């Protein structure tokens, strides 16, 4: 099987591409290599992929929100399925640069839906986000819960992606699976995420910023577990049989939470980072930031039932693995 992976220079995209190649598939990876965070990290991920996968992995730099550029890049390429993980990420940055989210997450998503439609692709798995639940105070979050009160533009674009996907499943019978990711972390992670920011600050003797005065909980999910879930979903397209799918659709469109099914207090995560770094953190407690939420917690019953997904990595194992990789990557 040949798979088109968008966001292949990103954290999750690179990890999914590597696993696909390792099991014998071939991957065409595309990514715009934008400068939302340091491009060198994205380039290093691609280089690592090439080293690990050899000829099974090919890569093109292209902005998938640019229809003409995307069409030209894919014109002579064949692929059976799509894993669409590319997006403009980050809740807080959406307050500063909203247009980037509209271009990448709305135009880009429609472009990939159009590619899938016209190519007759067998299945497209795409990235949604736990942020679609907004300020929902019912825990854990279930895919049946309402998700129409987003508290950030990022969340609104991800919910819009789900609705557009439902339309394409209805009109064109394109099999689609949307995954609501919960706080993914691990080696090769993103520099704008708390784990990276905290580790970097602690190792370099800088204070860390902890919002909502430390009263924050997240369902931290290790990258290896996420990748296992993404690929299991890719292998199990929703049937066009009129039966109700996870998320409520009767079209070939399923929605799943993909998390660790454990909500961890941020102060506990900081303790584990301190242990792995061998240093204490200097903590600066701050109020809640606009667009953020206090708690996330994934109900994963649907993906366990339908796909057999089962996370296996607790933060007690995952955080030391991230810190070890971080030290090695930065020669610390």
């Amino acid at each position: 099987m040949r798979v088109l992976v968008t966001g292949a220079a990103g954290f999750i995209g690179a990890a999914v591409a590597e696993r696909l190649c390792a099991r014998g598939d071939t991957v065409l990876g595309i990514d715009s290599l934008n400068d939302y965070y340091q491009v060198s990290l994205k380039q290093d991920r691609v280089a690592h992929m090439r080293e690990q996968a050899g000829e099974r992995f090919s890569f093109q730099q292209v902005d998938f929100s640019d229809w003409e550029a995307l069409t030209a890049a894919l014109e002579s390429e064949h692929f059976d399925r799509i894993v669409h993980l590319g997006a403009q990420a980050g809740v807080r940055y959406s307050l500063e640069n909203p247009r980037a989210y509209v271009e990448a997450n709305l135009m880009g998503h429609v472009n990939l839906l159009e590619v899938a439609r016209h190519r007759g692709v067998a299945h497209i798995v795409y990235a949604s986000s736990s942020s679609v639940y907004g300020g929902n105070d019912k825990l854990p979050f279930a895919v049946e819960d309402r998700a129409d009160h987003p508290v950030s533009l990022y969340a609104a674009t991800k919910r819009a992606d789900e609705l557009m996907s439902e339309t394409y499943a209805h009109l064109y019978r394109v099999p689609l699976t949307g995954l609501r990711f919960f706080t993914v972390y691990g080696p090769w992670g993103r520099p704008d995420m708390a784990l990276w920011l905290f580790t970097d600050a602690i190792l370099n003797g800088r204070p860390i910023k902890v919002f909502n005065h430390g009263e924050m909980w997240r369902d931290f999910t290790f990258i290896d577990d996420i990748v296992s879930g993404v690929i299991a979903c890719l292998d199990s397209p929703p049937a066009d049989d009129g039966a109700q799918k996870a998320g409520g659709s009767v079209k070939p469109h399923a929605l799943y939470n993909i998390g660790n099914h454990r909500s961890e207090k941020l102060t506990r995560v900081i303790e584990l980072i301190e242990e792995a770094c061998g240093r204490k953190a200097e903590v600066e407690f701050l109020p809640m930031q606009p667009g953020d939420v206090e708690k996330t917690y994934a109900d994963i019953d649907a993906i366990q039932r339908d796909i057999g997904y089962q996370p296996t990595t607790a933060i007690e194992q995952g955080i030391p693995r991230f810190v070890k990789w971080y030290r090695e990557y930065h020669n610390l």
Side-chain angles (χ1 to χ4, degrees), residues 12 14 25 27 35 43 71 76 84-85 115 125 164 170 178 181 185 191 207 212 226 286 303 312 318 324 331:
I12 303 175
D25 296 319
V27 170
D35 61 358
Q43 293 169 331
T71 302
S76 61
H84 177 37
L85 300 172
V115 168
V125 174
M164 290 188 287
H170 169 69
F181 292 116
Y185 75 98
N212 203 34
I226 287 287
L286 297 167
I303 194 170
T312 60
K324 179 177 184 291
N331 296 311

Side-chain angles (χ1 to χ4, degrees), residues 46-311:
V46 173
H48 176 74
M49 268 297 309
R50 287 190 165 122
E51 181 182 318
Q52 295 296 313
E55 293 182 356
R56 291 190 179 278
F57 177 73
S58 58
F59 179 81
Q60 291 194 49
Q61 182 176 349
V62 61
D63 181 354
F64 58 75
S65 68
D66 182 334
W67 176 249
E68 291 185 359
L70 179 64
T71 302
L74 299 181
E75 187 174 12
S76 61
E77 300 285 356
H78 164 76
F79 41 88
D80 307 291
R81 301 188 182 194
I82 299 173
V83 181
H84 177 37
L85 300 172
Q88 178 57 61
V91 169
R92 292 163 192 165
Y93 184 60
S94 66
L95 302 174
E96 303 169 29
N97 190 1
R99 287 175 179 82
Y101 290 76
V102 172
E103 291 168 6
N105 299 2
L106 299 183
M107 286 301 301
H109 191 73
V110 168
N111 286 348
L112 267 297
L113 290 173
E114 280 289 285
V115 168
R117 168 197 170 193
H118 290 293
R119 296 284 191 110
V121 166
H123 189 200
I124 176 169
V125 174
Y126 66 92
S128 186
S129 168
S130 61
S131 67
V132 301
Y133 293 108
N136 190 353
D137 56 7
K138 170 192 163 291
L139 296 173
F141 300 160
V143 290
E144 295 79 21
D145 295 344
R146 290 185 66 171
D148 49 5
H149 297 287
V151 297
S152 71
L153 182 66
Y154 170 71
T157 63
K158 286 300 185 180
R159 181 62 178 140
D161 288 346
E162 295 178 351
L163 296 172
M164 290 188 287
S165 296
E166 174 69 6
T167 303
Y168 271 68
H170 169 69
L171 291 174
Y172 310 115
R173 320 314 292 187
V174 178
L176 289 142
T177 299
L179 298 177
R180 294 173 174 174
F181 292 116
F182 281 72
T183 313
V184 188
Y185 75 98
W188 293 102
R190 281 191 2 229
D192 63 326
M193 299 291 281
L195 214 65
W196 181 300
L197 292 169
F198 291 170
T199 301
D200 179 67
I202 292 169
L203 289 175
N204 289 285
R206 299 192 312 273
I208 64 174
K209 296 179 179 180
V210 178
F211 295 98
N212 203 34
H213 306 286
E215 296 299 310
M216 301 283 278
W217 286 259
R218 289 291 181 271
D219 195 327
F220 285 90
T221 317
F222 194 64
I223 184 63
D224 291 2
D225 291 330
I226 287 287
V227 172
S228 295
V230 170
I231 293 177
C233 286
L234 183 67
D235 292 341
S236 303
D240 189 4
D241 57 3
Q244 188 173 84
K245 313 299 186 294
S249 178
V250 294
K251 317 303 192 305
H253 180 213
L255 289 172
Y256 294 113
N257 289 333
I258 182 165
N260 202 36
H261 193 53
R262 292 177 59 175
S263 196
E264 311 283 0
K265 193 170 185 182
L266 197 56
T267 49
R268 171 58 178 156
V269 171
I270 293 168
E271 290 173 1
L272 290 170
I273 299 171
E274 289 175 327
E275 291 174 14
C277 291
R279 301 183 191 181
K280 294 294 289 182
E282 179 186 344
V283 180
E284 180 183 355
F285 289 107
L286 297 167
M288 180 74 95
Q289 287 202 126
D292 218 340
V293 297
E294 183 179 330
K295 297 181 180 180
T296 68
Y297 180 16
D299 179 334
I300 59 172
D301 287 353
I303 194 170
Q304 287 177 314
R305 177 191 68 234
D306 296 350
I307 308 296
Y309 169 75
Q310 186 61 51

